Amino acid sequence: MTELEQNSILLKVENLKVSFKGENKQYIETVKGISFEIPTNTTVALVGESGSGKSVTSLATMGLLPPEQSQISAESKIVFEGVNLLTLSRAEMRKVCGKDIAMIFQEPMSSLNPVFTVGDQIAEVLRLHLAMGRKQARARTLELLKEVGIPSAETKIDAYPSQLSGGQQQRVMIAMAIACEPKLLIADEPTTALDVTIQKQILDLLQDLQQRRQMSMLFITHDLALVSEIADEVIVMRHGEIREQGAVKSVLEQPQDIYTRALLQCRPQLSQRPFRLPMISDFMQQQGQTWVELGVADQPRAQRPRGLKGNEEIILDVRDLKKSFYSRKGLFGREEFQAVKGVSFQLAKGKTLGLVGESGSGKTTIGLLLMRLQQASGGTARIYGQDILAMSEKQFAQFQRKIQIIFQNPYASLNPRFTVGQILLEPMQVHGIGTNDAERKKIALDLLERVSLPASAFHRYPHEFSGGQRQRIAIARCLTLKPEILICDESVSALDVSVQAQVLNLLQDLQDEFGLSYIFISHDLSVVKYISDQIMVMNHGDIVEIANSDDLYQTPQHEYTKRLLGAIPKGI
């Protein structure tokens, strides 16, 4: 390939303006005249928080914006190989998208059809765009599944999406996207919900495919640590505008824009543990129409000590906890799967126990067993000496106030038909907290203030809030019962780094004020190290290592722990 070919432009976005219809049917501009280029055989990362316009830009490129709810300015251009995609008809766009431009979406289970096998779904792309026959398409599908690293591809080709792991589902989406050998691959947050080891595998796979197939890639993410692992150039967006763009090394090592510098500081770092994580507002504030840097990026921050000394009061003592699931085998038999294989651990009062491991390791199952949302197959779990697993339903209902859980997805865990006030009042009414509704409302308003939400939120519905705000509502709901133990199940995994910092600071403030004890379940090892005193590593239902957080990261003992730590994105 000549230098001219290497530097030629495959996609050029000029003055892209996208507006969406608001509640009053007036259009609101969400992408505000951005321009950028994607050269051939190059990976460009598009970085920013939720609402920055990243995904809208990619959907506009693919022609997937809803025409009845959105409009693109007549001045805008999206030029692919010399053709303005915005001037093409729907039929012409269908010929380009899927063949020359392909997209991997963030959530594979929302993108894969649950009633068709993965083989049929990949073969459909080949038959539609390349006019292959059934036999030829199936043979090519098998080759693609092997290329993206699906184990036992001959068997998995006839599997349904629900029969595959999250990492395998994402590999199927990648196989579908590269089936027609596209010139441009758009990857929209393809690793957000994946374990750190699976994330590394997907990143390595995408990088390998990009280099072998000589294609360009637009990699969309909110995690700057991933950018240095995969991209050549980076574009930083905020509120529909490009704040900074350039070569990855120069932007990440010497960022020129205050927002880029703030983003880099917000994410928990393995090398330090400040008392409070910095947030975007710590670095910049708006004055009129401009943002002003506060000049605190390089100031030293006090560090928070972590770890157990061995003389702490134990609030939760778990012994030989087991959970088995059974499936039918043959006509009369059944097969046992041990999800949790007799684990034992303790949780110290006012401390945080981090729980890490890959999908299927048993992390979430432990949380569900402790909440009695699943029935344990054996073992004990004692809070202040009382075995909560041996209690009757009535006894546990009285005891349940002491232990609560914050689920991963605040969009699914809040009742959309209830106002925030109803969501907060209901558990207090069920458990008899407060003498009347007026007193309960006062408690609810106090809790909203504690989680930094306005009193006006009391009368609003969950859909009116962002993801980070919904997670704050979920935390406030847990606090209505004044628990002593909080199980945080991937409660910050899907949040932007700045919102994640806000929620982690809130959890730490609550622990400092009320002496709460946390079991913090996460696949993000940087976050776990920041918030945990002790870390427990699980693999296939077993605990392979427990240690103070600093000790585990500095001198891991088990090979599996070393492999997990080796997969953490290093950044620049």
Side-chain angles (χ1 to χ4, degrees), residues 376-396:
S377 303
T380 61
R382 301 183 183 278
I383 297 179
Y384 292 133
Q386 299 185 65
D387 185 6
I388 59 176
L389 301 183
M391 292 178 179
S392 67
E393 289 294 333
K394 187 175 181 180
Q395 289 173 320
F396 183 67

Side-chain angles (χ1 to χ4, degrees), residues 313-318 345-349 353 366 370 380-386 388 403 485 487 517 519:
E313 179 185 356
I314 301 301
I315 188 172
L316 173 67
D317 189 359
V318 175
F345 62 90
Q346 293 180 323
L347 175 65
K349 185 174 177 60
L353 172 65
I366 284 181
L370 294 176
T380 61
R382 301 183 183 278
I383 297 179
Y384 292 133
Q386 299 185 65
I388 59 176
I403 181 168
I485 299 172
I487 301 171
S517 304
I519 296 177

Side-chain angles (χ1 to χ4, degrees), residues 404-415 420 423-424 447-448 450-453 457 461-480 486-496 498-507 510 518 520-523 527 531:
Q404 289 291 300
I405 187 168
I406 306 169
F407 293 101
Q408 175 177 357
N409 187 354
Y411 294 89
S413 61
L414 299 177
N415 191 329
V420 171
I423 288 169
L424 298 182
L447 287 173
L448 286 175
R450 282 293 312 140
V451 299
S452 301
L453 288 174
Y461 289 87
H463 74 268
E464 299 178 68
F465 297 90
S466 68
Q469 290 172 323
R470 293 188 207 201
Q471 199 62 287
R472 289 166 180 268
I473 295 167
I475 293 171
R477 178 177 58 183
C478 289
L479 295 177
T480 59
L486 265 183
I487 301 171
C488 304
D489 186 10
E490 300 278 11
S491 52
V492 298
S493 63
L495 303 179
D496 298 324
S498 58
V499 179
Q500 183 185 84
Q502 294 171 23
V503 174
L504 290 173
N505 286 339
L506 170 62
L507 289 172
L510 295 171
Y518 295 141
F520 195 89
I521 302 169
S522 180
H523 66 259
V527 170
I531 202 167

Side-chain angles (χ1 to χ4, degrees), residues 120-157:
D120 285 342
Q121 295 184 62
I122 297 172
E124 182 184 19
V125 176
L126 296 167
R127 294 174 64 194
L128 178 66
H129 288 288
L130 302 182
M132 288 187 181
R134 287 183 180 276
K135 190 173 181 180
Q136 185 184 7
R138 182 176 174 88
R140 179 60 183 143
T141 296
L142 190 58
E143 292 175 4
L144 287 165
L145 289 175
K146 290 178 179 178
E147 185 176 3
V148 297
I150 294 286
S152 306
E154 294 82 358
T155 303
K156 294 290 181 14
I157 192 173

Side-chain angles (χ1 to χ4, degrees), residues 178-374:
I178 66 170
C180 298
E181 301 190 4
K183 298 171 184 176
L184 173 64
L185 179 64
I186 301 174
D188 187 5
E189 302 269 14
T191 63
T192 294
L194 300 180
D195 301 318
V196 64
T197 50
I198 306 300
Q199 173 181 271
K200 181 169 176 53
Q201 291 172 22
I202 296 297
L203 288 176
D204 289 344
L205 172 62
L206 288 172
Q207 198 165 30
D208 179 59
L209 289 170
Q210 185 268 324
Q211 292 172 353
R212 278 195 291 112
R213 290 170 173 257
Q214 301 287 291
M215 63 182 177
S216 298
M217 183 159 61
L218 179 63
F219 188 86
I220 299 171
T221 182
H222 64 256
D223 190 346
L224 278 167
L226 296 182
V227 171
S228 62
E229 301 275 314
I230 195 169
D232 303 299
E233 299 177 11
V234 61
I235 301 165
V236 181
M237 287 188 69
R238 190 182 197 215
H239 297 163
E241 299 175 326
I242 292 177
R243 299 296 300 249
E244 185 167 4
Q245 58 182 313
V248 166
K249 189 175 177 64
S250 64
V251 171
L252 297 190
E253 286 188 347
Q254 296 178 315
Q256 301 302 304
D257 190 82
I258 54 174
Y259 177 65
T260 310
R261 291 199 286 273
L263 270 186
L264 287 166
Q265 292 288 332
C266 285
R267 181 173 172 79
Q269 300 177 25
L270 293 176
S271 59
Q272 53 182 305
R273 188 189 287 117
F275 263 84
R276 293 181 62 78
L277 282 171
M279 298 182 291
I280 299 293
S281 58
D282 292 330
F283 297 94
M284 53 193 289
Q285 66 182 21
Q286 192 167 13
Q287 293 183 1
Q289 297 298 313
T290 61
W291 287 88
V292 178
E293 187 167 10
L294 299 179
V296 297
D298 300 321
Q299 292 181 7
R301 297 178 180 273
Q303 300 294 298
R304 181 184 293 274
R306 289 285 192 189
L308 301 184
K309 298 178 180 178
N311 58 352
E312 291 83 5
E313 179 185 356
I314 301 301
I315 188 172
L316 173 67
D317 189 359
V318 175
R319 297 292 172 186
D320 200 28
L321 183 64
K322 299 176 183 176
K323 177 60 180 178
S324 293
F325 294 95
Y326 297 90
S327 58
R328 289 184 61 178
K329 186 177 184 181
L331 191 58
F332 301 107
R334 66 175 187 168
E335 188 171 22
E336 179 185 13
F337 169 69
Q338 289 183 294
V340 179
K341 303 175 182 177
V343 304
S344 300
F345 62 90
Q346 293 180 323
L347 175 65
K349 185 174 177 60
K351 298 293 184 177
T352 301
L353 172 65
L355 184 49
V356 301
E358 297 173 285
S359 293
S361 62
K363 308 186 305 293
T364 295
T365 302
I366 284 181
L368 296 176
L369 293 176
L370 294 176
M371 288 299 300
R372 290 185 42 150
L373 296 173
Q374 290 181 356

Side-chain angles (χ1 to χ4, degrees), residues 1-11 38-42 81 183 210 214-216:
M1 182 178 288
T2 67
E3 184 177 345
L4 179 62
E5 290 173 323
Q6 285 179 334
N7 294 330
S8 63
I9 302 304
L10 181 67
L11 182 80
I38 301 179
T40 56
N41 193 24
T42 302
E81 292 193 315
K183 298 171 184 176
Q210 185 268 324
Q214 301 287 291
M215 63 182 177
S216 298

Side-chain angles (χ1 to χ4, degrees), residues 52-65:
S52 63
K54 310 185 304 294
S55 294
V56 171
T57 300
S58 66
L59 292 173
T61 303
M62 294 290 293
L64 295 177
L65 291 175

